[in-house]
Amino acid sequence: MRSKYILFALALTGALASCSDDDNNKKPVYNTPYSNPLTNYSAADPTVWKENDHSFYVYATNTSVIRKSTDLIHWTDGGKMFEKKPSFVTESGAAVWAPDIEKIGDKYILYYAMSAMGKPASAGIGIASADSPEGPFSLDISVDGKGKLFTSNEINVRNSIDPCFFEDNGQKWLVWGSFNGLYAVKLNADGTRVYPDLATAKKERVQVAGTAFEAPYIHKRGDYYYMFASVGSCCNSMLSTYTTVVGRSTSFLGPYVNKNGESMLDNKYEVLIRANDRFVGPGHNSEIVTDSEGNEWMLYHSYDRHTPSKGRYLMIDRIVWENDWPVIAGNSPSTEAEAPVCK
């Protein structure tokens, strides 16, 4: 349920409580209001890692800093993301985009894209590891020591960006792609290489969605696998048409379909988050993350019509499920809403 509290009231009261409140005599605060956007700086293409009920980390496009939070609402600068910048893409302006993080064994593995805007042929997927989600992440586990997992040419998928890790029945997979089809490829047991090798992976990669999509994220719930993705233009300020969409399947490799049974391979989908009179281009969602009461939340980015030149802010909204489909209230970003539960 959306709150009628306004931002001015938040400023007066200092309302939000921390999930790491050490006073055991205090009862948890429920339904405290928060306001989108969460940041006053760009934090595009966010991924989130939950270490415990009061330690959350966000990794985003084109930043060298990991953000951290105790409540999913207030974010501060943490450690450096990398010991040294990945360099396997040498195009001018190449940067790290759209990271995704997973813990495999005792290592935190960061998958990410490296690309230069407007140069999709040279893009690729990189990999790094750390002993803590706070980083910094080392490139030592990469194929070339410079960060590379594979390039677009090596895997034969143009514009190979936006990686998403997923494990299904013990098999590790990477799903990725941007407007040239979304694809899945097997990874080895420790998630550090395509399986069994690049030559085989190039032949055996599986297309799981059509050319309308980028930024895939797979979520398993009950009998269904859900593929979240984004359609439209991401990065053109108030002219951006980015929209968060979803389809579902009874199999990890699909087919993913909309409510009418139409396939994402044919560029069909259900809309999850669209623009409204305040926010433009809501997309590239994170993992679904739970608060201490099991409520589910999705981070994503959006432009704000109030400050169109400041980039894509970090946003959050609650996911609920209706008839085994994910729903965000109003199918658009909230301005004020009830916050994650803190204990």
Side-chain angles (χ1 to χ4, degrees):
M1 184 176 75
R2 294 184 180 242
S3 170
K4 294 183 180 178
Y5 287 88
I6 61 173
L7 183 60
F8 179 67
L10 287 177
L12 288 176
T13 61
L16 265 169
S18 168
C19 285
S20 60
D21 194 337
D22 291 327
D23 186 348
N24 293 325
N25 295 318
K26 290 184 179 180
K27 294 182 178 179
V29 177
Y30 295 94
N31 301 327
T32 309
Y34 75 93
S35 295
N36 274 319
L38 302 181
T39 61
N40 62 1
Y41 52 81
S42 187
D45 311 330
T47 190
V48 62
W49 179 258
K50 177 184 177 180
E51 184 69 3
N52 50 55
D53 278 347
H54 51 81
S55 298
F56 304 92
Y57 300 88
V58 154
Y59 313 79
T61 280
N62 203 15
T63 177
S64 61
V65 178
I66 300 165
R67 267 82 190 204
K68 59 184 181 179
S69 175
T70 61
D71 58 15
L72 285 170
I73 301 301
H74 296 96
W75 296 90
T76 59
D77 286 356
K80 289 176 58 179
M81 192 178 298
F82 294 103
E83 290 180 349
K84 60 180 180 180
K85 181 182 175 181
S87 59
F88 66 93
V89 174
T90 59
E91 298 276 7
S92 176
V96 170
W97 297 354
D100 186 39
I101 187 170
E102 184 64 33
K103 188 175 184 182
I104 302 175
D106 60 355
K107 291 288 186 181
Y108 295 84
I109 308 295
L110 194 71
Y111 303 92
Y112 56 91
M114 193 172 192
S115 185
M117 187 65 74
K119 298 177 180 178
S122 63
I125 304 296
I127 189 169
S129 69
D131 295 326
S132 162
E134 298 184 8
F137 288 81
S138 167
L139 307 179
D140 292 347
I141 64 165
S142 63
V143 172
D144 59 355
K146 298 179 180 179
K148 184 180 74 170
L149 182 62
F150 58 77
T151 65
S152 296
N153 289 336
E154 288 171 339
I155 204 71
N156 197 26
V157 175
R158 183 176 169 82
N159 206 21
S160 281
I161 62 172
D162 295 356
C164 166
F165 174 92
F166 191 82
E167 185 166 344
D168 184 48
N169 295 320
Q171 175 61 60
K172 296 175 175 63
W173 295 84
L174 193 76
V175 184
W176 81 100
S178 174
F179 304 129
N180 291 266
L182 300 182
Y183 288 85
V185 69
K186 290 180 180 178
L187 298 174
N188 65 0
D190 62 9
T192 63
R193 300 287 187 274
V194 293
Y195 178 84
D197 52 52
L198 261 172
T200 305
K202 185 176 180 179
K203 297 176 184 177
E204 295 183 355
R205 55 180 173 69
V206 179
Q207 187 171 354
V208 292
T211 57
F213 309 101
E214 67 175 7
Y217 162 59
I218 308 295
H219 178 71
K220 180 68 163 59
R221 183 179 187 272
D223 294 331
Y224 293 104
Y225 298 81
Y226 295 85
M227 179 181 289
F228 297 86
S230 296
V231 300
S233 60
C234 69
C235 312
N236 199 17
S237 190
M238 296 300 97
L239 298 179
S240 297
T241 59
Y242 226 30
T243 301
T244 307
V245 301
V246 66
R248 75 182 187 190
S249 173
T250 55
S251 168
F252 166 66
L253 292 177
Y256 289 87
V257 299
N258 65 12
K259 291 179 181 179
N260 294 325
E262 300 166 311
S263 177
M264 292 181 79
L265 284 166
D266 297 322
N267 295 327
K268 305 298 183 180
Y269 51 81
E270 294 294 325
V271 171
L272 182 68
I273 317 173
R274 57 165 56 93
N276 59 23
D277 58 3
R278 172 71 186 275
F279 296 108
V280 176
H284 202 120
N285 60 276
S286 74
E287 296 86 340
I288 292 173
V289 62
T290 58
D291 65 18
S292 55
E293 284 292 301
N295 301 312
E296 296 181 327
W297 301 85
M298 180 173 282
L299 294 159
Y300 58 99
H301 73 239
S302 182
Y303 289 100
D304 187 340
R305 295 183 193 273
H306 291 177
T307 51
S309 64
K310 293 197 72 174
R312 294 168 287 171
Y313 292 127
L314 185 65
M315 309 278 288
I316 192 170
D317 273 298
R318 185 178 173 185
I319 293 276
V320 297
W321 299 86
E322 297 179 2
N323 300 317
D324 291 323
W325 284 96
V327 175
I328 280 179
N331 291 116
S332 68
S334 64
T335 302
E336 289 91 29
E338 295 174 354
V341 176
C342 300
K343 284 188 175 180

